[in-house]
Amino acid sequence: MDLLKNLLFTQVKPTDFTRLKDEWKKITAPLEKAKEKPLRFLRYFVMANYKIKNVRSDAVVREDEIYDWLVDRDNAALCDYKSDPFAFVRKIIRNVEQFIGFTQGRANDGQASLAMDTMQQLCGAAFSLHYVLLLAASGFPKSLFEHFVRQLESFLFYYIFTKTPTKDLERSFSLWADDLREIGGVTDEKVQKVRLNEFITEKFQKNMASKDADLADAMKRYTLGSMQQYRTRYLLAKLTQYVEMAFKGMTTPGALGEFAALEIEHILPNTPELELRESFGAENPGKVYDDYKTHLGNLTMLEKPINIVAGNGYFAAKTAEYVKSGNYLTRSIVRLSPVGKDSSITRINAKLKSFEHWSAAAIDERQEMLIGLAKEIWTTAPIDAG
């Protein structure tokens, strides 16, 4: 960052030094306040805003390559900081504002966004490469941007939950940023939507399809320790929200936070009495209690007061508490609601299952059921271009 600052100072008259110094603070001060690494931002800024050419032909700029990239003659012309350094600085400032907004769950208009907040709960602090795409798409109309974010969330779910190395995405994201900038520059609203739909199909949908088998395998083996707990919480919250929306006939999701705030309940208790552990072993020969208690199929979301009462007892004792839950995914473990005929409830019931006994087989069966729901949740959809 200091090298870039010094480079820009060589492009302005001494009388403009104070002005440039003041403008530069609008870049560094917000990043410092937000505790964001300046070099990481600068790398994402370059990849999001410019077509990257390098000797590796991988379209990627690494942190230790940023300055060399900037002083390259062709790239200097691309950035145009020699003829108009202040315009270049203002562009960085705008990107800093967008970048920090994105890290705080805001949309491209700086306002709070449910779509962005939900995606942040998936990515957390461990994944940040998607900011390249968000910066490249920041010129979209708000509704188009939010649609893009929802599709990006599904794409990232596939890659994060299959533990795909980030380096596999770097080249793709840099190249895709070029496409997104181009789409953002389209002035015809209908054409812009058509172009984004094509992008989603070609870049997200096809890559997700290639990961189908990997995701199914990862989900089949998924346990509480498979990923960071905040991601397991995100996974369970999304499943819970989806079933609740279907149960109530809702089509537009609200905040994920109300579901993520629930407690993760082990149906087969995490710290069981010895008698329960022994009975599980006797009823499920060859199955290890400590393996099954952390399986995805053994986990559900439950309100804290109910969770406390449910305790570490047998399934039969817990069911009386589960039916008191405010979310249908948990209540459905005990029984399915008989309300309606060919209604939103009967349609979601067809995808759920209740259990009279809780065994290793039941946990495996529920895990498969949750995988089926996941395939419906993390999908892509076109935006209406009509």
Side-chain angles (χ1 to χ4, degrees):
M1 289 293 279
D2 286 340
L3 287 170
L4 175 57
K5 178 182 176 182
N6 293 337
L7 175 64
L8 293 172
F9 267 95
T10 65
Q11 313 300 323
V12 301
K13 300 174 184 177
T15 52
D16 283 330
F17 281 2
T18 301
R19 179 187 168 202
L20 181 58
K21 185 178 179 181
D22 290 341
E23 290 293 289
W24 190 255
K25 287 179 182 176
K26 296 177 184 177
I27 296 171
T28 56
L31 290 170
E32 185 177 333
K33 183 179 179 182
K35 294 182 171 57
E36 292 293 338
K37 298 175 182 177
L39 276 185
R40 183 173 72 169
F41 159 75
L42 199 55
R43 184 168 94 97
Y44 293 166
F45 163 77
V46 169
M47 291 168 64
N49 286 277
Y50 303 104
K51 195 173 185 67
I52 306 299
K53 294 180 180 178
N54 57 23
V55 293
R56 295 189 305 272
S57 299
D58 63 0
V60 173
V61 175
R62 296 170 182 154
E63 288 187 1
D64 59 358
E65 298 171 340
I66 296 172
Y67 184 74
D68 289 337
W69 186 90
L70 287 165
V71 297
D72 175 87
R73 185 179 63 182
D74 292 339
N75 295 332
L78 195 63
C79 298
D80 199 28
Y81 57 76
K82 289 187 176 181
S83 63
D84 197 343
F86 282 101
F88 180 65
V89 170
R90 285 194 296 272
K91 184 172 186 174
I92 300 177
I93 292 170
R94 287 195 300 273
N95 275 261
V96 165
E97 292 169 350
Q98 292 279 17
F99 174 75
I100 291 174
F102 295 155
T103 66
Q104 296 173 347
R106 299 199 298 269
N108 59 336
D109 63 349
Q111 299 301 308
S113 163
L114 290 179
M116 283 293 297
D117 179 69
T118 300
M119 187 168 67
Q120 287 300 91
Q121 292 187 53
L122 163 64
C123 296
F127 187 90
S128 62
L129 193 63
H130 61 301
Y131 294 130
V132 172
L133 298 186
L134 294 176
L135 287 171
S138 61
F140 284 12
K142 171 74 177 290
S143 60
L144 206 64
F145 180 83
E146 296 244 308
H147 174 77
F148 172 72
V149 170
R150 289 190 289 271
Q151 313 315 304
L152 177 58
E153 181 197 342
S154 289
F155 173 84
L156 292 178
F157 174 81
Y158 267 68
Y159 273 75
I160 289 172
F161 274 72
T162 56
K163 299 185 178 180
T164 302
T166 303
K167 62 181 179 63
D168 292 358
L169 292 176
E170 282 189 324
R171 180 177 184 276
S172 293
F173 278 21
S174 185
L175 293 171
W176 295 355
D178 299 336
D179 297 327
L180 293 171
R181 287 196 309 276
E182 193 177 325
I183 294 170
V186 174
T187 55
D188 185 295
E189 184 180 344
K190 184 174 181 178
V191 173
Q192 192 176 46
K193 289 178 178 177
V194 169
R195 290 285 304 280
L196 181 60
N197 285 339
E198 291 171 349
F199 175 93
I200 298 299
T201 299
E202 289 297 316
K203 304 303 192 289
F204 290 173
Q205 198 175 72
K206 288 187 176 179
N207 276 284
M208 288 162 65
S210 72
K211 289 274 183 186
D212 267 342
D214 291 341
L215 182 65
D217 181 61
M219 294 293 286
K220 192 170 185 177
R221 295 181 290 103
Y222 198 90
T223 70
L224 189 58
S226 293
M227 303 201 80
Q228 302 96 323
Q229 189 163 130
Y230 73 85
R231 284 188 169 145
T232 299
R233 184 174 293 279
Y234 160 86
L235 171 62
L236 289 167
K238 287 280 286 190
L239 289 165
T240 306
Q241 181 188 52
Y242 177 77
V243 170
E244 198 63 21
M245 286 174 58
F247 180 77
K248 295 177 177 176
M250 298 166 58
T251 56
T252 305
L256 188 65
E258 65 175 286
F259 298 98
L262 298 171
E263 298 212 333
I264 297 176
E265 155 75 352
H266 292 73
I267 304 170
L268 195 66
N270 187 38
T271 53
E273 297 291 337
L274 180 60
E275 183 183 358
L276 196 160
R277 182 186 288 273
E278 289 177 345
S279 68
F280 178 88
E283 294 170 10
N284 301 273
K287 306 298 183 181
V288 180
Y289 186 100
D290 286 338
D291 288 344
Y292 271 85
K293 74 176 187 181
T294 61
H295 274 27
L296 176 63
N298 189 56
L299 307 176
T300 194
M301 299 301 269
L302 195 60
E303 295 84 348
K304 186 172 184 177
I306 302 175
N307 194 21
I308 292 171
V309 175
N312 297 316
Y314 284 84
F315 179 70
K318 287 188 169 192
T319 55
E321 301 306 317
Y322 290 171
V323 295
K324 299 175 186 176
S325 176
N327 75 78
Y328 189 53
L329 182 58
T330 296
R331 293 199 306 277
S332 69
I333 296 169
V334 182
R335 59 175 173 265
L336 301 179
S337 172
V339 177
K341 183 178 181 182
D342 192 27
S343 66
S344 59
I345 296 176
T346 55
R347 286 191 290 274
I348 190 60
N349 280 348
K351 301 167 186 175
L352 301 174
K353 183 171 176 57
S354 59
F355 301 87
E356 292 184 6
H357 305 286
W358 200 245
S359 61
I363 293 170
D364 288 336
E365 191 173 350
R366 187 168 182 268
Q367 187 124 347
E368 287 295 332
M369 182 198 83
L370 295 177
I371 293 171
L373 293 175
K375 289 178 180 177
E376 296 186 10
I377 297 169
W378 286 280
T379 58
T380 59
I383 191 169
D384 184 8

